[in-house]
Amino acid sequence: MVESAATSLASIVVLGAGFSLTAYLYHKGYKYFVLKKMTNAFEPGDPVLELAAMGRKVPHDSPEAADYWIMRPEQERVDKIVAGEEGGHYYLMVGDKGTGKSSMLLEAIRRVEGDGIAMLEAHADLEIFRIRLGKALDYEFHEDYIGGYFSERGPRDTTALLDIERALNKLEKVALRRRTAVGRPLVLIINQMHLIRDDEDGKDLIELLQQRAEQWAAANLVTMIFNTDDYWVYERLKQLSTRMDVLPIVDLPKPEATRALQRYRRKYFGETLAPEVLTEVYDRVGGRLNFLHRVAKNEDMYAACDEILRMETTWFLNQCWILGGEMDDDVMDQQKWAAAAVVLATALVDQEAEMDKTYDDHTGHVLPTFPLHIAQQIMTRADFIRALDRLNLFSITSKALVRASSVPMQRAFREMVAQPGFREHLQATIDRIAAIESLGRTRELVAKDLVWGGTYEIKKGKSGGIEVNLRQKEEEEAKQG
């Protein structure tokens, strides 16, 4: 009996030790392969490049790939940042939609074959952002870890924000190893930061990312690049930034814009445009790469320019048109927002008429601008302009200057203000809004059970309330006698 007990005990000990050793080796092996997979995510070759090349229908490593984008003045510095040659800072690229920010980043990644670089697209939902971050870093967030079955609380018992923090912890370990081996920082690019919601969850996410960016920039471990279309992201990062560099990306000046248009046209039609045609197209749509590319692909370029103007005009009017003096009071809140936008657009047109120069033969268009605080003063509201920036109706630059979002949008403002009776229509809308607000501040007093010859005495009581007393005719005569 003792021998059987000893044999059973020995079996249990052997099985327990074997199980413990296996579990320990699995745990250590899992952690090793997590770091190994994340390290491989920064090896040359990036899925982002393959997807971009598929859209261009050429291999990303082909010499023809360089022909599908236009060299911008900022490209040289972006190349150095993406290659890890500029350390000690993290970067915010800010500019209007369609100016070529993402294209510059992709071109810089292509030139170094994605070595040491990971890129992801931001999203408003934190769970989707977490999944995209995991895909970029090749990190599974312990979703395939079976050790959690043997504990009361597994590694996945968490929130999306905590998962993002854990992924960044792993990235830090990988960056430390690579820094020793390679001698330059990793690069993490987060594109379309403006898609993150401007709420508490979004603020928490941006704060988390910025804290890491500050720490890694100081240690020269990871260079983070944020890319955004909207000014509010800059405002959020500005509050806590010490090592942030801002890269403003604007429309191309006239010489670069006309060269880009010429290059696009040769690619699509094998055609060399006359200088006066290039100038005419630039005058109509400006130096926005997105517009130039769209025009160059169209056989009738002038018709494409008119279509862009029509689309910009329609977009603004659909969002912000004013309803005049006959509008219903139910739409007052929306009309206050719309009237503020139209007032600002009118002020920009008036400012343009007073400018000494609105066009330069070398640089091209000079759009009228207002400082942000003056724009808020013109609108008489401080909370509308950022929403208008998100809708790409107006643009707030990195220097806090407010202007039309594009050259076609400024032309749309000009045509709107030039309509017969426009200013009277605007004034009628403003007057109607003021009248509705005045009615909202007016209180109606209804008197019942009136007495012939009686009077009402209304006065402020001692407690701060209103006292109303009815005095009949006999009481008045007795009081006077």
Side-chain angles (χ1 to χ4, degrees):
M1 184 175 180
V2 174
E3 183 179 352
S4 299
T7 302
S8 299
L9 179 62
S11 300
I12 293 173
V13 169
V14 170
L15 289 173
F19 180 79
S20 300
L21 180 61
T22 302
Y24 176 78
L25 292 175
Y26 169 77
H27 181 71
K28 288 296 183 182
Y30 182 86
K31 294 179 71 174
Y32 168 79
F33 282 110
V34 164
L35 296 179
K36 180 67 174 175
K37 287 168 59 181
M38 191 174 289
T39 302
N40 291 338
F42 289 92
E43 292 299 318
D46 196 307
V48 174
L49 290 177
E50 298 296 339
L51 290 174
M54 289 173 62
R56 296 169 175 175
K57 300 181 180 179
V58 294
H60 76 270
D61 54 354
S62 169
E64 297 179 25
D67 295 333
Y68 282 78
W69 82 288
I70 302 301
M71 183 73 174
R72 290 188 56 100
E74 303 88 355
Q75 185 67 50
E76 184 177 353
R77 190 180 182 197
V78 173
D79 289 345
K80 292 181 179 180
I81 294 170
V82 171
E85 298 175 7
E86 287 196 15
H89 296 277
Y90 62 101
Y91 300 89
L92 174 66
M93 297 177 65
V94 57
D96 293 308
K97 180 180 68 174
T99 51
K101 303 183 298 297
S102 299
S103 297
M104 279 199 297
L105 290 170
L106 288 172
E107 176 63 19
I109 295 172
R110 188 191 68 82
R111 292 183 177 186
V112 295
E113 290 294 318
D115 186 16
I117 303 164
M119 182 175 180
L120 69 142
E121 302 287 324
H123 194 274
D125 191 294
L126 292 186
E127 283 290 343
I128 296 178
F129 185 95
R130 175 187 75 86
I131 292 173
R132 291 181 177 179
L133 178 63
K135 179 183 177 182
L137 302 180
D138 200 5
Y139 180 57
E140 300 292 340
F141 299 100
H142 289 89
E143 291 174 345
D144 56 349
Y145 181 71
I146 64 173
Y149 291 116
F150 304 98
S151 62
E152 293 184 1
R153 184 172 181 174
R156 283 293 302 130
D157 189 6
T158 181
T159 64
L161 204 61
L162 287 175
D163 266 348
I164 294 169
E165 172 71 11
R166 289 188 175 118
L168 298 179
N169 286 338
K170 297 294 184 183
L171 176 58
E172 188 173 283
K173 293 180 180 179
V174 171
L176 284 168
R177 293 182 181 182
R178 185 179 175 90
R179 182 84 172 85
T180 303
V182 179
R184 67 174 185 269
L186 296 175
V187 177
L188 179 61
I189 303 171
I190 303 180
N191 199 27
Q192 300 192 73
M193 284 284 290
H194 54 275
L195 295 181
I196 298 174
R197 291 194 184 99
D198 189 11
D199 58 11
E200 292 304 318
D201 287 340
K203 292 174 183 177
D204 291 342
L205 175 59
I206 291 178
E207 182 179 329
L208 170 64
L209 296 173
Q210 186 176 19
Q211 285 179 335
R212 291 292 184 161
E214 291 277 350
Q215 295 170 3
W216 291 340
N220 204 24
L221 278 180
V222 180
T223 299
M224 295 190 71
I225 303 174
F226 303 118
N227 187 13
T228 180
D229 294 351
D230 295 341
Y231 180 76
W232 77 266
V233 177
Y234 167 76
E235 282 189 317
R236 177 59 52 187
L237 293 173
K238 179 65 176 175
Q239 297 177 24
L240 302 176
S241 66
T242 57
R243 294 179 174 272
M244 181 177 72
D245 273 5
V246 180
L247 299 178
I249 310 300
V250 298
D251 290 349
L252 289 174
K254 182 179 178 179
E256 286 82 358
T258 52
R259 282 198 294 269
L261 180 61
Q262 188 75 272
R263 191 171 183 178
Y264 284 141
R265 194 67 176 179
R266 284 174 181 166
K267 182 177 69 173
Y268 290 115
F269 292 95
E271 178 184 0
T272 300
L273 299 174
E276 56 271 16
V277 176
L278 296 172
T279 300
E280 177 65 21
V281 172
Y282 173 80
D283 291 346
R284 294 190 182 194
V285 299
R288 186 69 51 87
L289 276 175
N290 185 31
F291 293 157
L292 294 173
H293 186 259
R294 197 184 311 173
V295 169
K297 290 177 66 176
N298 197 299
E299 188 172 350
D300 187 344
M301 292 193 298
Y302 292 159
C305 292
D306 293 339
E307 178 64 16
I308 290 172
L309 175 60
R310 188 195 65 79
M311 290 176 62
E312 294 290 279
T313 304
T314 302
W315 175 244
F316 181 82
L317 296 180
N318 286 349
Q319 299 295 322
C320 301
W321 185 238
I322 46 180
L323 303 182
E326 302 300 323
M327 72 176 182
D328 193 273
D329 56 356
D330 291 337
V331 298
M332 189 192 69
D333 290 339
Q334 188 274 338
Q335 280 295 288
K336 288 168 69 175
W337 183 84
V342 174
V343 166
L344 181 58
T346 305
L348 286 172
V349 173
D350 294 339
Q351 173 78 356
E352 185 179 38
E354 297 174 2
M355 292 171 59
D356 295 332
K357 182 168 64 173
T358 60
Y359 191 91
D360 186 271
D361 291 336
H362 180 67
T363 59
H365 293 282
V366 182
L367 294 180
T369 61
F370 288 112
L372 179 57
H373 67 283
I374 299 298
Q376 293 172 341
Q377 178 181 328
I378 292 171
M379 301 173 72
T380 69
R381 292 291 293 261
D383 54 339
F384 288 164
I385 186 62
R386 289 161 185 81
L388 294 169
D389 180 33
R390 293 190 189 99
L391 289 172
N392 298 310
L393 301 172
F394 297 89
S395 177
I396 309 175
T397 70
S398 60
K399 295 181 180 180
L401 296 175
V402 178
R403 56 171 173 77
S405 63
S406 63
V407 170
M409 186 62 78
Q410 180 66 26
R411 291 181 62 200
F413 293 167
R414 230 178 281 140
E415 291 187 0
M416 176 185 69
V417 174
Q419 291 178 6
F422 166 79
R423 294 182 186 270
E424 292 78 8
H425 184 68
L426 173 59
Q427 189 59 48
T429 303
I430 295 173
D431 292 342
R432 175 59 175 162
I433 292 173
I436 295 173
E437 289 182 331
S438 178
L439 287 174
R441 292 190 294 265
T442 303
R443 296 293 179 266
E444 186 179 67
L445 184 64
V446 179
K448 296 182 178 181
D449 300 328
L450 299 178
V451 177
W452 182 261
T455 59
Y456 284 94
E457 182 181 55
I458 303 174
K459 63 181 180 179
K460 188 175 182 180
K462 296 180 180 180
S463 62
I466 301 297
E467 293 182 1
V468 181
N469 297 315
L470 171 62
R471 294 189 179 277
Q472 299 185 21
K473 187 174 182 180
E474 293 80 3
E475 294 177 358
E476 290 287 338
E477 291 176 352
K479 185 177 180 180
Q480 293 175 1

